[in-house]
Amino acid sequence: MSDNSSGIRTLLLGFVAVIVVLAIVDPQLIPLAANVFVFLFVDHVEGLVVGAIVGAIPILGSRAEEGAEVFGFTISVGALAGAVLQFLLFR
């Protein structure tokens, strides 16, 4: 499997663990945990799609490793472009 599947596997195992704990502690919270899992899963898949798009664009793909200063923090241009593109595509 590729490296991208490990993130999905981690999300799934975390979800199963939380559901087991909630089934013991408070079963009424299981729908909330399911909603959080769906949000994280969809966000992960959207990030994979946007990462592929950013990597395919020659201008962004070649500069993806460069850093940009954002509010005092250094973030890669590829991550910044990916966040903007994900917002524009999936809002």
Side-chain angles (χ1 to χ4, degrees):
M1 288 193 180
S2 68
D3 292 341
N4 295 333
S5 66
S6 65
I8 294 173
R9 187 180 307 122
T10 303
L11 279 174
L12 185 60
L13 290 175
F15 172 68
V16 169
V18 167
I19 292 299
V20 168
V21 169
L22 286 178
I24 296 169
V25 176
D26 190 6
Q28 292 179 341
L29 293 177
I30 291 176
L32 174 64
N35 287 340
V36 170
F37 170 75
V38 168
F39 171 77
L40 291 175
F41 182 76
V42 168
D43 186 59
H44 186 78
V45 171
E46 288 174 358
L48 291 174
V49 170
V50 169
I53 293 171
V54 168
I57 299 173
I59 295 171
L60 294 176
S62 63
R63 298 187 57 191
E65 296 298 321
E66 295 179 17
E69 188 83 17
V70 179
F71 299 115
F73 296 100
T74 303
I75 188 169
S76 73
V77 172
L80 193 58
V84 170
L85 187 60
Q86 184 174 359
F87 174 75
L88 292 175
L89 288 177
F90 299 110
R91 65 180 163 126

